[in-house]
Amino acid sequence: MAVKKKNRRAVLVTSCVLAALIVAGSTFAWFSSKDEVTNRLSASANYGVTIAEDFTPPENWIPGQEVDKNVAFVNTGNVDAFVRAWLEGEMKIVNEAEGTAYTSIPDALTNTDDPKLIALGLTKYTGTGNNKVYYKTLSKTETANPNDNNVGTNNDTANNDTTYSEVKAVQAGGWLAYAGGTFTFEVNQPSTYIDTTGAEREYAAGATVTSTQLQDTWTQGVGLAIDSDSFRPTEPGLFIFRRNIDIDSNSNADYEYSGYYFDGTDYYALKCATGNRSDYTLPDNALTITYATANDATSEVAFVEPNANLKLLTASETTLQTDQMRWFVDEANNVISIQYSPDDTWASEDAANFGNDIVIDIQLVNVTRYNTPGNAGNTPSEQWSAFTSTVGSSKYATFYYNNDLEDGDTTARLVESVTLNSKVTQNAFYAFDFDLNVFMDSIQVANDATGNETFSTVSGGWTTTDSHVTEAKAEAVAGTPEINNIIWTAN
């Protein structure tokens, strides 16, 4: 009987466990339900603000020449935007360098391939990159005077040469003062010269004279009379010509001299005097002049000799970035001027001329105020507000548009023209390229929950890391729901 009870107890336990498992499994059988919906929010933001410009670069910009450059900004997208702009620039300038001794001209020079430099005679160089040194060679090309309207009419073309070259221009004057090599020329009228024996030798018109036929003391006195049109060196050397004299004075110290170095093929220009002197004139200190009477410059010139101050003309090329030039703002006339001074001695804005400085003036338009906050009543919406900052010796301006720029709209013009200042002189450069860079920044206009436009994107300040840009913020906006006037203040 005890066994039977024990078995009944085991069956009962097993049944209870199985029942518990059945109950537990039934918890996965309750009814349940799931659902899902997708709400698509579509956006198509064609955001784009770009520069609109009307500008034709000049072929040959000269001092005083104003070039139209109309600059504005257009919203090509479908999102309204706030707009600001600023100007920067860079310049590549080729200018006269210190020069080098004519006795140390490099043996191997590279031919220039830049058409602009070739046109200036800077046909050869040595060095690479910013270390290039250009050498000016004189043109040997015989060119007819394009401004000569009298050819074949009043000109005596039988006797007058109606063509010219740079080499001829240097030789003009009719007197050879110094020769470092042999030469030849033709006489255009019967002439007498002293030969190597000390005797007079007659030459008929058209006859050829060579230096080997002449006495080597020809340099004594006033020099050797030559035909400047037909004179030609026949071996390398330095050649100096007497070109001019002040006829109001009896002083031979008033002679002017020109010259070149001939390497057997090319004629290299010499560094010339600056200021109110004739073209191609050598500096006074480049020649050592001995007078027939010692220490008496009113007596005849006995001997002309080059010294260490006589240099070959060389030029160098310099590339300048924005902060290597001086920028200043004429707020009264809405003009930004950019100045380059090779020796960092900035000429005054009201100087008679700028010496060796280059000054470029940018005429602005539609700028209503500088720095001082305005209000909705006196700040026209379709114009610009300007904020300036000083960095070193420069003052830069940043321009903020007084309205939002709606899709499809164009701002009022900001730049009207660019002028190479009329006070810039020919001593300032051989050639230069100036790139005026117009920069534009834009930020979208935000809308609030009710659909009104807000200036929340710029109310806290439109910041930048650019040292040339002044930060500003919008403090007052007129117009609901559309923005139509913004008051900008410095941030």
Side-chain angles (χ1 to χ4, degrees):
M1 292 297 293
V3 173
K4 290 182 177 178
K5 288 183 178 178
K6 185 176 180 181
N7 290 339
R8 274 201 301 268
R9 190 179 299 115
V11 170
L12 179 61
V13 170
T14 302
S15 299
C16 290
V17 170
L18 182 60
L21 290 174
I22 293 172
V23 170
S26 69
T27 60
F28 293 97
W30 294 112
F31 292 121
S32 65
S33 178
K34 291 195 298 184
D35 196 5
E36 180 179 326
V37 64
T38 299
N39 299 119
R40 175 165 293 171
L41 303 176
S42 297
S44 177
N46 178 20
Y47 184 81
V49 180
T50 188
I51 298 171
E53 180 186 68
D54 181 9
F55 174 61
T56 302
E59 289 291 331
N60 186 23
W61 204 16
I62 61 175
Q65 180 182 0
E66 180 181 294
V67 179
D68 290 339
K69 182 179 176 69
N70 297 313
V71 176
F73 306 89
V74 61
N75 189 340
T76 59
N78 60 8
V79 178
D80 295 358
F82 301 108
V83 177
R84 71 176 174 186
W86 65 97
L87 306 176
E88 293 185 11
E90 57 186 1
M91 180 185 298
K92 183 170 72 173
I93 177 172
V94 177
N95 218 337
E96 188 169 326
E98 290 299 315
T100 185
Y102 73 91
T103 54
S104 61
I105 186 170
D107 292 331
L109 292 173
T110 305
N111 290 327
T112 309
D113 58 6
D114 186 333
K116 279 187 177 180
L117 298 181
I118 293 173
L120 294 166
L122 301 174
T123 60
K124 298 178 181 293
Y125 70 88
T126 184
T128 59
N130 287 333
N131 295 319
K132 285 182 180 178
V133 176
Y134 292 92
Y135 290 82
K136 177 176 172 60
T137 56
L138 302 173
S139 173
K140 299 176 286 185
T141 303
E142 298 283 334
T143 306
N145 185 355
N147 299 316
D148 191 347
N149 298 318
N150 295 319
V151 173
T153 55
N154 297 328
N155 278 359
D156 182 5
T157 55
N159 295 308
N160 292 337
D161 190 352
T162 58
T163 63
Y164 64 93
S165 70
E166 283 190 299
V167 172
K168 283 185 179 181
V170 170
Q171 295 171 175
W175 292 92
L176 180 65
Y178 177 88
T182 57
F183 56 88
T184 181
F185 62 91
E186 296 177 1
V187 295
N188 57 17
Q189 58 190 4
S191 303
T192 302
Y193 293 95
I194 307 299
D195 67 16
T196 55
T197 67
E200 292 184 353
R201 180 173 177 177
E202 300 288 338
Y203 291 86
T208 298
V209 180
T210 65
S211 55
T212 56
Q213 298 170 332
L214 304 178
Q215 192 177 53
D216 60 8
T217 57
W218 62 263
T219 51
Q220 300 302 309
V222 295
L224 180 71
I226 61 168
D227 179 72
S228 56
D229 175 56
S230 63
F231 181 88
R232 297 290 183 272
T234 54
E235 67 180 11
L238 177 72
F239 295 84
I240 298 172
F241 306 88
R242 195 188 81 196
R243 302 187 71 240
N244 199 7
I245 186 172
D246 181 357
I247 60 174
D248 294 330
S249 171
N250 293 322
S251 170
N252 285 325
D254 290 328
Y255 282 134
E256 291 181 354
Y257 296 89
S258 63
Y260 52 67
Y261 178 80
F262 179 65
D263 71 352
T265 302
D266 293 305
Y267 297 79
Y268 289 84
L270 302 178
K271 189 175 179 65
C272 296
T274 58
N276 189 24
R277 304 295 297 273
S278 302
D279 291 346
Y280 307 112
T281 301
L282 300 177
D284 292 334
N285 67 349
L287 301 174
T288 300
I289 300 176
T290 304
Y291 296 99
T293 303
N295 302 319
D296 184 1
T298 64
S299 66
E300 289 185 346
V301 173
F303 193 71
V304 176
E305 187 175 21
N307 59 39
N309 295 318
L310 186 73
K311 305 285 187 181
L312 289 172
L313 191 153
T314 60
S316 60
E317 187 175 78
T318 304
T319 300
L320 306 167
Q321 302 303 320
T322 297
D323 51 7
Q324 293 174 293
M325 296 173 277
R326 182 187 177 212
W327 296 64
F328 46 94
V329 181
D330 180 353
E331 298 180 7
N333 296 301
N334 273 343
V335 173
I336 292 179
S337 293
I338 307 160
Q339 185 174 8
Y340 164 66
S341 175
D343 55 4
D344 292 329
T345 56
W346 310 102
S348 171
E349 296 175 51
D350 57 1
N353 64 64
F354 290 120
N356 293 332
D357 293 0
I358 297 174
V359 179
I360 297 168
D361 298 321
I362 303 169
Q363 182 63 60
L364 306 171
V365 287
N366 302 312
V367 180
T368 59
R369 64 183 178 88
Y370 287 83
N371 289 41
T372 306
N375 56 58
N378 65 16
T379 305
S381 62
E382 302 302 326
Q383 297 202 10
W384 299 82
S385 295
F387 298 90
T388 62
S389 61
T390 299
V391 180
S393 62
S394 292
K395 179 183 281 188
Y396 302 99
T398 308
F399 307 94
Y400 289 79
Y401 199 53
N402 296 338
N403 196 352
D404 71 327
L405 189 61
E406 299 183 357
D407 58 288
D409 280 356
T410 302
T411 67
R413 284 183 303 158
L414 176 60
V415 176
E416 182 177 62
S417 64
V418 183
T419 301
L420 181 58
N421 195 288
S422 60
K423 295 178 182 178
V424 175
T425 70
Q426 66 183 37
N427 298 323
F429 60 91
Y430 281 139
F432 73 86
D433 291 321
F434 176 73
D435 291 336
L436 175 61
N437 300 323
V438 181
F439 289 90
M440 179 275 302
D441 224 353
S442 69
I443 295 180
Q444 75 171 81
V445 174
N447 293 84
D448 63 18
T450 63
N452 291 331
E453 292 183 338
T454 74
F455 57 102
S456 58
T457 53
V458 291
S459 60
W462 197 340
T463 60
T464 180
T465 58
D466 194 311
S467 63
H468 304 138
V469 179
T470 302
E471 301 172 4
K473 58 185 176 181
E475 286 197 337
V477 176
T480 301
E482 293 286 331
I483 293 173
N484 56 35
N485 194 286
I486 305 170
I487 304 304
W488 297 98
T489 61
N491 191 22

